[in-house]
Structure formats: C-alpha cells, structure tokens
Amino acid sequence: MNNISENVIKDEKLNRWYTGADFADDVRLIREELLDLHVGLGDVVLVCLPNTAAYPEITQAIWEVGAVMHPIAATTPEVELQQELAEHDYVASIVGGELVDAVLDDRLAIVTALHLKTYPLLHIIRDRKLMGNDAAVPQEDDLALIMNTSGTTGKPKRVGLTHRLLLNGVEHDIESHKMTASDTTMVVMPMFHINAQAVAILSTRLSGGKIVVAEKFSASKFWQQVKDNHVTWVSVVPTIINILLINQKANENYSDDIKLRFVRCSSFALPLDKLTAFQTRFHTQILEGYGMTETASQCTINPFDSPKVGSAGKPFKTDVAIMLDGKITHETNRIGEIVVRGDHVINSYMDPHPDSFKDGWFLTGDLGCLDDDGYLFVEGRKKDIINHGGEKVAPAQVENSLSQLNFIKEVSVIGTPDTLYGEAVTAVIITQGNQDEELERQKVIAHAKETLANYEQPTRIFFVDDYPRNATGKVIRLKLREQIMSSLVGRVG
C-alpha cells in the first residue's frame, strides 16, 4: 500500500474508510496473535467469514508468519463446517462469534478474541491437539492459499495455490486489465472465491489502487456505491448483469455521471442482447473472460480494443488448447475439452486426481473451441457440475443431502437453463408412494436450507415416476434434462 495516511480500503457495511496505517495496525495485531498461538510455516488456517475489510488483513497476517489460508463460505452449514474440520488438520480457525461454538464442538482449543478497527470482534480458535510450526518467511513455492472447488463426485477438490502461482496470475490480471494506482474496485463477489481473492483484491493491492468491500451484491445500492466511492471497475458474473438490467431501483439509481472503466464478467457467456443492453444503458464496457480456481484466476480475456461478443476472449499469458480424441491440439473450430498450461496453473491437486492432468496440461472439464482469430468459445461442460450464478454446484452433494428424507426413493439433481442464474439447481424426485406433492416440496425446501449452502439449495423441484435409464439402470442425465426442460412451463417448483 502507498502513503499510510491515505484511505486504502472501505467496508460498506460499516460505512467507513480505513487508511494504510489502520490496515497495518490490524495486520500487526493478527500477526502477533498468530505468533503467540504458535501458528507458523505451513500451518493451515481455516477462515469462515462474510465479506469484510478485515479479509485482506487476515490474509496478509497469515502469510507473514508463513501459514496457509483456507477460506470457505460464511454460509457453510455447521454440519459441513465440522466435517471440514474433522477431515483436515487446521492448526487454527478464524471466525465470527456466531460460529465459535460450532468450531469448538468439544475440541480442545484456545479461543482468543481480537478487536480490530475493521472487525469489532474476531475470534481465533487454536486447536491444541496440533503442534504448529515456527513462523518463517515463506518461499515462492510454499503454499499460500487452499480453496475448494466442486468435483463431479460431490467431494470438493482442494486446490493448493503457491505464492508464485498467485503472484504470476495477479501480475497478468494487472497487465490485461490495465490497472493503476488511480483505480478503485468494488468487491461484490464472495471473498472465499478466487475471483475476489486474486482478480479484485490482490491485483488492486499490488497495483496500488483502492478497494471497496460490499458484504454482498445489492442491486438497489450498486450504482450509488459505485458513484459515492468513485469506483472505476468491478468484477461480476452474468447473473449480476441480468439483475442490474431488470431491477427497477438499480435503473432509477443510475446516473450518466457514473463512469466505470469496465465491468469484468466471467463464469458463463452473456447473450448478445444482454451484453449490448448493459453497455448501452450503463455506458461502460463489459470484458468477458475465462478462468478458474486451478489457474489462480484468468486464462483468457477479451482485449479492450477488440472484444468479440460471445467469446471468452484471447489467451493471456496462458497456453490454451483443445483435446480431441485424447490428443492435444491448437486446431481451430473443433469442439473438444479445453486444456490450459502456464506459470499460474496448478500441476496437481492437494489430493490425487491424476486424470485432471496430461503431459503438463490441466484438463478443465469444459468444452469449447478456438476460432481462426484465437478467441476461445466455451460451449458447455464435460462434467455434471451445475453453474448457478457463478457458484459451482456438485449434483451428488445435493443428492446426498436430499436422500436423507425418508419419503424420497430416489433423487437426481441436474442443471436446467435459467435466464437469471445461467442454470437452476433442479431436483427431480421419485417418492416412496402417493403423497401430497406440495407438502413434500416444502419438506425438501426446509431440509435443503438446514443442510446445504444457499447456492446449493434446489430452486426447482419436480416429481416423476421414473428416469430415463441405460441398460444397466443408470440415469441418463442428458435425456432427463431434456424431459424436464420440455415440461418446465407451468410446472416450476
């Protein structure tokens, strides 16, 4: 950060800017507490917090002692949180007061409370069963960040990002987005995502700009927040673009004196009419790109001076190719699996997944093609993962939860097209007998709220007698999806 007396980060919920000195003071408090608790080199710290200006301070303090941060969603159900803690060795957890009891759960631990300028009461819970390491300055190839990304089995894959991978990815972000110290970004994406962590926060800190942290996206407040804080760019997903276009308060609060340099949009392609309508209505440029947790943010981005609508842009400091019949090629206009490699791309997961890598390439599981001008077009997903407003939902995770209900004989979860969220999480259920469908629907909704994160909860529920199956009895998801799509009108739950 630059001059310590200048404002560098704002927490919208608290409606307060913090200076570089405020930021440094909070980092020092957190770091000293971690040192006192003997959290050091290579120790993994779980962070479960909503969006807050304290997030980047916590990140820096953890890295300064050489530890590794693993952020998860603040909306993670307590059962899921406890499962995460049981399966992996977290030397410490950093949470808000409402989750202290869930983390403790009869665990032998030391609980400390910190009063930060950016966060009134932060709790660090130190697991006493784990020794911890001495603090040390991390090396470039030491782990910095662990993030969960959903897999087709429903078991999240753990992505380990080193300091080198993150630095390379962030430097590419800065160059491709032409970021400078005069920029101010607003974070509306969840901070446990790579999008907020790398594309918005780390890139802005490294380029010397300012950060405005919104607890969550609010359509009615968005344009006023942009105007009041002189925001110059923001990173979003297509769902946010759609909401801003149709939300009455958002349109009322927009004024022509608002000047965004650009809006970065990724996750799934925007339809031409939506992209054009947004750029015309709000007088800014949308830059679409393609990336993922495994690549420490982006692989491709549309150039400012020559964007191609419908594409995810051109590769930027990344080698992008297509795998056809098991062979990797740069052949154009052929749809196959998108594969990538570069100085910001992982070459292994934290747990073994050798089928995700081939000859130094990462196999994304997404389908797409490169056109004659080198632009990437993402055509769909090889995997069953549902893309709900930028959140990746593993069907098996939702199926495992809903299967706990005793009236459900079988459940299949698929993604169905949704104009607002890209895909809706759709539960297709076979029940044990003839019962009240509306009552069962309400039970499904209630159970999902208790056991699943917000984005995993089904927004469409259908009851059927059977599924289309192959000769071995396995559900043919593509045919099931087609059947449900044909009956969507008037039957959405």
Side-chain angles (χ1 to χ4, degrees):
M1 298 243 174
N2 298 329
N3 190 326
I4 61 171
S5 64
E6 291 180 357
N7 289 333
V8 294
I9 191 165
K10 182 186 182 185
D11 194 305
E12 273 294 293
K13 185 178 180 182
L14 301 176
N15 192 29
R16 181 178 168 188
W17 277 98
Y18 297 93
T19 65
D22 293 330
F23 191 99
D25 286 344
D26 278 356
V27 170
R28 177 181 52 79
L29 279 174
I30 302 165
R31 182 183 68 242
E32 288 178 354
E33 191 61 45
L34 292 173
L35 289 170
D36 288 345
L37 293 170
H38 200 236
V39 177
L41 187 65
D43 292 334
V44 182
V45 180
L46 186 77
V47 177
C48 187
L49 291 169
N51 281 15
T52 164
Y55 228 114
E57 298 172 343
I58 293 166
T59 305
Q60 180 167 326
I62 288 173
W63 289 348
E64 285 187 5
V65 301
V68 183
M69 183 171 80
H70 185 175
I72 64 172
T75 59
T76 301
E78 289 187 7
V79 173
E80 212 172 291
L81 173 61
Q82 290 165 349
Q83 185 179 348
E84 183 78 44
L85 289 165
E87 289 184 3
H88 305 290
D89 289 337
Y90 294 103
V91 172
S93 302
I94 298 180
V95 298
E98 70 283 355
L99 285 177
V100 171
D101 288 343
V103 173
L104 282 174
D105 191 35
D106 295 328
R107 186 175 275 104
L108 189 63
I110 301 169
V111 182
T112 62
L114 288 182
H115 299 277
L116 304 178
K117 292 177 179 178
T118 54
Y119 204 92
L121 190 59
L122 189 74
H123 292 83
I124 302 179
I125 302 169
R126 174 68 164 88
D127 192 326
R128 293 179 63 184
K129 296 196 306 296
L130 300 172
M131 289 290 291
N133 296 304
D134 292 333
V137 176
Q139 301 300 303
E140 285 191 357
D141 290 319
D142 287 336
L143 272 184
L145 202 58
I146 296 173
M147 309 194 91
N148 291 347
T149 182
S150 296
T152 53
T153 63
K155 183 76 172 174
K157 291 179 180 177
R158 297 192 308 145
V159 178
L161 297 171
T162 64
H163 290 276
R164 187 191 302 275
L165 291 176
L166 279 172
L167 179 62
N168 291 339
V170 167
E171 286 182 338
H172 302 336
D173 291 340
I174 292 170
E175 183 181 349
S176 62
H177 294 84
K178 301 180 180 178
M179 297 181 198
T180 70
S182 61
D183 275 313
T184 298
T185 191
M186 183 165 70
V187 179
V188 295
M189 301 290 286
M191 284 183 162
F192 68 93
H193 271 196
I194 194 66
N195 188 300
Q197 283 289 328
V199 179
I201 297 171
L202 290 177
S203 62
T204 300
R205 293 201 64 207
L206 216 60
S207 59
K210 296 178 181 178
I211 302 168
V212 177
V213 178
E215 185 177 28
K216 58 185 178 181
F217 167 70
S218 167
S220 61
K221 297 177 182 177
F222 182 84
W223 290 116
Q224 196 63 49
Q225 290 171 329
V226 168
K227 183 177 181 178
D228 292 346
N229 298 302
H230 307 290
V231 173
T232 58
W233 72 276
V234 63
S235 184
V236 302
V237 290
T239 302
I240 290 177
I241 297 289
N242 292 336
I243 291 172
L244 288 171
L245 277 171
I246 64 177
N247 185 276
Q248 184 179 343
K249 287 189 176 180
N251 279 271
E252 290 173 355
N253 288 338
Y254 176 78
S255 57
D256 290 344
D257 58 342
I258 293 173
K259 301 296 180 187
L260 280 178
R261 270 204 312 123
F262 65 92
V263 173
R264 186 189 186 280
C265 187
S266 61
S267 184
F268 56 91
L270 269 171
L272 172 60
D273 60 333
K274 295 283 175 57
L275 186 144
T276 305
F278 189 92
Q279 291 188 151
T280 302
R281 173 70 184 90
F282 300 121
H283 308 296
T284 189
Q285 183 175 8
I286 290 179
L287 292 184
E288 294 191 275
Y290 172 76
M292 61 208 75
T293 308
E294 291 90 340
T295 63
S297 72
Q298 72 177 16
C299 300
T300 67
I301 189 75
N302 266 286
F304 279 97
D305 55 353
S306 54
K308 186 173 285 193
V309 175
S311 82
K314 287 185 171 182
F316 193 91
K317 303 295 178 76
T318 313
D319 196 359
V320 178
I322 303 297
M323 188 163 73
L324 297 163
D325 301 321
K327 295 181 180 179
I328 293 170
T329 175
H330 288 87
E331 187 178 345
T332 61
N333 302 309
R334 292 282 305 279
I335 295 177
E337 182 172 4
I338 301 167
V339 300
V340 298
R341 65 182 178 185
D343 62 7
H344 57 106
V345 182
I346 66 168
N347 54 30
S348 66
Y349 283 100
M350 298 288 291
D351 310 298
H353 290 283
D355 55 342
S356 296
F357 303 89
K358 180 181 174 66
D359 301 330
W361 294 85
F362 171 63
L363 314 183
T364 68
D366 292 322
L367 298 173
C369 66
L370 293 160
D371 72 1
D372 292 334
D373 298 321
Y375 287 78
L376 177 68
F377 287 78
V378 182
E379 303 293 343
R381 281 172 304 286
K382 182 181 175 183
K383 305 169 185 177
D384 291 330
I385 293 300
I386 299 165
N387 192 332
H388 182 72
E391 300 278 6
K392 304 301 190 295
V393 181
Q397 174 90 350
V398 184
E399 289 165 0
N400 291 340
S401 168
L402 300 186
S403 293
Q404 296 169 13
L405 291 166
N406 56 19
F407 64 84
I408 291 181
K409 181 179 179 182
E410 204 171 342
V411 56
S412 287
V413 173
I414 57 174
T416 54
D418 184 279
T419 54
L420 194 57
Y421 288 96
E423 285 187 304
V425 180
T426 305
V428 188
I429 296 168
I430 301 172
T431 63
Q432 297 284 7
N434 295 323
Q435 297 181 39
D436 185 337
E437 282 191 1
E438 188 52 37
L439 179 61
E440 290 174 341
R441 178 177 277 106
Q442 294 308 316
K443 287 180 179 178
V444 169
I445 292 169
H447 182 76
K449 284 182 179 178
E450 288 179 7
T451 60
L452 296 167
N454 291 349
Y455 61 87
E456 294 174 319
Q457 297 167 19
T459 54
R460 290 176 180 160
I461 299 166
F462 290 85
F463 294 91
V464 296
D465 295 326
D466 201 0
Y467 306 126
R469 302 176 189 269
N470 63 16
T472 62
K474 187 176 180 181
V475 178
I476 306 172
R477 288 179 180 266
L478 185 60
K479 285 190 176 180
L480 177 61
R481 186 172 181 267
E482 290 171 355
Q483 286 183 10
I484 293 300
M485 285 169 57
S486 69
S487 63
L488 267 175
V489 179
R491 291 195 57 202
V492 175

